[in-house]
Amino acid sequence: MGTQDNQPPPLGSGETRPADEILNSVMQELEAFHRQMKEQMSQDIQRLQADKDRLIEDIDSLQTEYRRLQSQQFQTLSDRIPPNPAWLKQLTQIVARNVEQALIARINQIKAASDPPLLSTDPSGLVPLSDLGDENFNNRQLEAVLETSLNHTFQALQQELSHYQSDLSRRLNNMQTLEQQAEALLETIVARLEQQAETSTLRGESSRRELSSGRPEALPPGKTTLTKPPETAPSGAKPSSPVQLGLFLALLSAVSLSLFNVCLKIILKGPQPREILGLFSLEGIISPGIGNSLLILLLRMIVVMGLMPIVATFLYPPVWQDLRRFLQSGDRRLMLTVIGSGFFLFLSQVAIYVAIGEIPTGIAITIFFIYPIVTVIASWGLFGDRPTLIRVIAMITILAGGILCLPARNPNIAMGNVQVGVIAAICAGIAFAGYVLLTQVAAGKLHPIPFSLVNFAAIFVFSAVSLMVLPDNLGISIEPGVWNGLIIGGVVLGVLTLSSYLLNNFAIRSAGASLASIIGTTGPALTALFAFWIIGESIKQQQIYGMALVILGVGAMSVERMIGAKRN
């Protein structure tokens, strides 16, 4: 009794045999589960690889069909058979006889009530011999008319084939984008499956080690937490997915736009000099106003139009073919839509320049972000797109945030004309809503890259023309000796514009337009943050709350559109 009852049985006794059998059975089940998981993962990877190969084959077949149609079109246009003179002469004689009979019948019908028939024809339908000279002249005229008609017909066919080629090229580009997204998705899935397989393998090995030892490893003295064994460390860093890269690029695009707004604020004069990063003071280059804003916009567009053709060719090589077809299409409605969108974007840019010059930068951009309210209401009235409950709530949230952000005269904060700044920011948002609506109308008819190039060109033309026709009281007002700084500022603004455009384009290709637009809603917050950090521009706590509401409302609209697009 006592201590002998609590001692374990000897090692050689028969009571340890059932435990060994249980251990062996558990190890066999784990090995079977491990083999089953590896087989299932390998089958999934093979199936995904087959889907990828099938997509590549479909794209190759589409490209082959496109090249075949293009070569067929060129062969058709190059193999135009010249008209046979004998056949053409016979055809013109037949047409002439029919036209002559019809005209004689019509004239006799008109004059039948009062006069005898004016003209008569031979019953056989042939023209008398005395009229052979007139017939030859008429035949030549009809031959010329027929040739002209055939030329017009071939030109119309050539234009239709050109439209078909443009549409097919746009579809192929969309297929290439889908192929890239599918490849990225497949790579992400394969990497995740491989990671899960490795995790299952490591778990199985660790369970086997624990079962073989009979108990978990004890912690060394002085340590109170478990540490990962070296076997479980991954062999390499996990590659970032295209979606994560796209979100990062979208964030960089938003940062570029925020820096653009702050640099514009630095160029414009304020009531007091501004401290740049707390290191030195800068008064500004020119005073805010419509004429000076147009001048800054023109200098910026000169830089953009100098570099945009290179960027457009890099992003979309057939941009010039699409522009040529767009200009030769004769579609006046599409041309007016594209030029109108550029005009509204021009008005939005001028208005936001004036607003940034008069009120704090972050507040101006936040008030500008009321444009989704105008877009939703106008879409409902023009296109019948009834707003959902989420959009209505988001609109109310944006409106409340915009009201909270309205600045008031504060002697401690250097501001210009507050009323002018607020009205200009609101007008900028309304004009930008018009640009968004016209862009939706032209969507699918012209590729986004040529569309943006035409918009930038329109802004450049509107800026130059506006400076020439602007009244003297609203014109340019600058001091001598500031042109060097003004040109440098225009170059910086142009480079930041193209940087934001390029980063946003790559972000849309990697993560999609919906996720990129969600990141773009952080523009007001980033602008306010950079304005506070670079030029020490502070805002009230109430305005911070309003800015948060505006960002929340715009973000909710973007998420709602993304979910709706996935459902469709």
Side-chain angles (χ1 to χ4, degrees):
M1 302 299 289
T3 59
Q4 294 180 356
D5 296 336
N6 297 326
Q7 292 180 355
L11 296 174
S13 62
E15 296 181 2
T16 60
R17 191 171 186 80
D20 294 337
E21 292 178 356
I22 292 173
L23 179 61
N24 292 330
S25 63
V26 171
M27 291 178 62
Q28 292 176 359
E29 290 178 359
L30 287 174
E31 291 177 354
F33 176 73
H34 175 60
R35 287 194 298 271
Q36 183 180 1
M37 287 296 296
K38 287 186 66 176
E39 292 176 357
Q40 184 178 0
M41 295 298 177
S42 63
Q43 292 176 1
D44 293 338
I45 293 173
Q46 292 176 358
R47 188 180 69 254
L48 292 174
Q49 188 67 32
D51 293 340
K52 177 183 176 181
D53 296 337
R54 189 172 66 254
L55 286 174
I56 294 174
E57 290 177 358
D58 293 340
I59 292 171
D60 292 338
S61 63
L62 285 175
Q63 291 177 348
T64 304
E65 181 68 16
Y66 168 70
R67 289 192 292 268
R68 187 186 67 81
L69 291 175
Q70 190 175 14
S71 62
Q72 183 179 0
Q73 174 192 355
F74 291 155
Q75 184 177 2
T76 302
L77 294 178
S78 62
D79 296 341
R80 291 174 57 182
I81 302 175
N84 190 355
W87 174 82
L88 185 59
K89 183 176 181 180
Q90 184 179 3
L91 178 61
T92 53
Q93 289 179 358
I94 295 173
V95 172
R97 285 197 299 268
N98 293 332
V99 172
E100 184 180 8
Q101 291 178 4
L103 288 174
I104 292 173
R106 181 60 178 169
I107 294 172
N108 291 332
Q109 183 181 0
I110 295 174
K111 297 294 184 177
S114 58
D115 297 330
L118 296 175
L119 299 172
S120 61
T121 60
D122 188 63
S124 61
L126 299 177
V127 180
L129 295 177
S130 59
D131 296 335
L132 285 178
D134 296 337
E135 179 184 359
N136 292 330
F137 178 73
N138 293 332
N139 288 341
R140 287 194 296 270
Q141 287 184 341
L142 289 173
E143 183 178 348
V145 171
L146 183 60
E147 180 68 21
T148 305
S149 177
L150 289 175
N151 289 332
H152 287 315
T153 304
F154 278 115
Q155 289 177 0
L157 289 174
Q158 186 176 6
Q159 187 175 3
E160 290 180 2
L161 289 174
S162 177
H163 285 301
Y164 177 75
Q165 181 183 359
S166 175
D167 183 68
L168 186 59
S169 176
R170 185 166 56 251
R171 291 177 182 272
L172 285 175
N173 290 324
N174 293 334
M175 288 296 296
Q176 290 177 358
T177 303
L178 290 175
E179 179 190 4
Q180 294 175 359
Q181 294 178 356
E183 289 179 355
L185 180 61
L186 288 175
E187 291 176 357
T188 303
I189 294 175
V190 170
R192 189 169 299 175
L193 290 175
E194 291 177 352
Q195 183 184 4
Q196 291 179 357
E198 292 177 359
T199 305
S200 301
T201 304
L202 294 174
R203 288 179 180 175
E205 292 177 356
S206 62
S207 300
R208 189 180 298 110
R209 285 196 301 268
E210 290 182 2
L211 290 173
S212 61
S213 62
R215 55 189 174 86
E217 297 180 357
L219 294 174
K223 290 188 178 181
T224 58
T225 58
L226 288 171
T227 58
K228 289 185 178 180
E231 293 82 7
T232 61
S235 59
K238 180 182 177 182
S240 60
S241 66
V243 176
Q244 294 175 349
L245 178 61
L247 294 178
F248 178 71
L249 293 176
L251 182 60
L252 289 181
S253 175
V255 169
S256 299
L257 279 180
S258 302
L259 291 175
F260 171 88
N261 297 326
V262 176
C263 291
L264 178 62
K265 186 73 171 182
I266 294 174
I267 294 174
L268 297 173
K269 287 184 178 180
Q272 298 177 1
R274 301 183 180 92
E275 295 289 334
I276 308 301
L277 296 175
L279 301 177
F280 59 93
S281 178
L282 187 63
E283 185 179 0
I285 300 176
I286 60 175
S287 58
I290 296 178
N292 292 343
S293 298
L294 287 171
L295 178 61
I296 297 174
L297 181 59
L298 179 62
L299 294 175
R300 168 198 168 196
M301 294 314 301
I302 290 174
V303 178
V304 171
M305 290 306 298
L307 299 176
M308 184 62 186
I310 303 174
V311 175
T313 306
F314 171 72
L315 294 176
Y316 182 64
V319 59
W320 303 109
Q321 291 85 346
D322 284 7
L323 281 177
R324 189 180 301 111
R325 284 190 290 268
F326 167 71
L327 296 175
Q328 295 177 356
S329 63
D331 190 350
R332 297 184 60 185
R333 183 175 181 182
L334 178 59
M335 291 183 180
L336 291 176
T337 301
V338 176
I339 296 175
S341 65
F343 177 71
F344 277 109
L345 186 59
F346 159 74
L347 293 179
S348 175
Q349 293 292 302
V350 175
I352 198 63
Y353 284 13
V354 175
I356 290 176
E358 300 293 346
I359 59 178
T361 314
I363 301 303
I365 300 301
T366 304
I367 297 175
F368 165 78
F369 264 71
I370 66 168
Y371 74 87
I373 299 177
V374 184
T375 304
V376 171
I377 296 175
S379 298
W380 186 13
L382 296 176
F383 310 127
D385 186 9
R386 187 180 182 87
T388 61
L389 180 61
I390 296 178
R391 293 183 187 178
V392 173
I393 296 175
M395 289 166 59
I396 296 174
T397 304
I398 295 172
L399 184 60
I403 294 175
L404 289 176
C405 284
L406 291 178
R409 175 65 63 179
N410 189 348
N412 297 326
I413 301 177
M415 288 188 295
N417 194 325
V418 176
Q419 290 79 10
V420 172
V422 172
I423 294 174
I426 294 174
C427 292
I430 295 174
F432 191 78
Y435 161 75
V436 171
L437 291 172
L438 290 179
T439 303
Q440 292 176 359
V441 172
K445 300 179 181 178
L446 187 63
H447 193 275
I449 303 298
F451 184 86
S452 301
L453 187 58
V454 174
N455 277 335
F456 286 145
I459 294 175
F460 174 76
V461 173
F462 287 135
S463 302
V465 173
S466 298
L467 283 175
M468 290 187 292
V469 301
L470 204 65
D472 294 337
N473 57 344
L474 298 176
I476 300 175
S477 176
I478 59 175
E479 298 177 357
V482 299
W483 279 103
N484 293 332
L486 193 59
I487 292 174
I488 294 174
V491 172
V492 172
L493 295 180
V495 171
L496 288 174
T497 300
L498 285 179
S499 301
S500 175
Y501 179 80
L502 192 63
L503 290 170
N504 186 63
N505 192 279
F506 283 120
I508 291 174
R509 293 186 180 185
S510 300
S514 300
L515 289 177
S517 65
I518 293 175
I519 300 299
T521 59
T522 60
L526 291 175
T527 301
L529 180 63
F530 282 112
F532 175 74
W533 179 51
I534 296 176
I535 60 177
E537 192 176 63
S538 60
I539 57 177
K540 297 180 180 178
Q541 186 176 7
Q542 173 185 350
Q543 294 170 340
I544 295 176
Y545 293 153
M547 186 181 300
L549 289 177
V550 171
I551 294 174
L552 181 63
V554 178
M557 284 190 177
S558 300
V559 172
E560 193 263 347
R561 283 195 299 269
M562 181 180 65
I563 295 175
K566 288 183 178 180
R567 288 177 180 176
N568 296 331

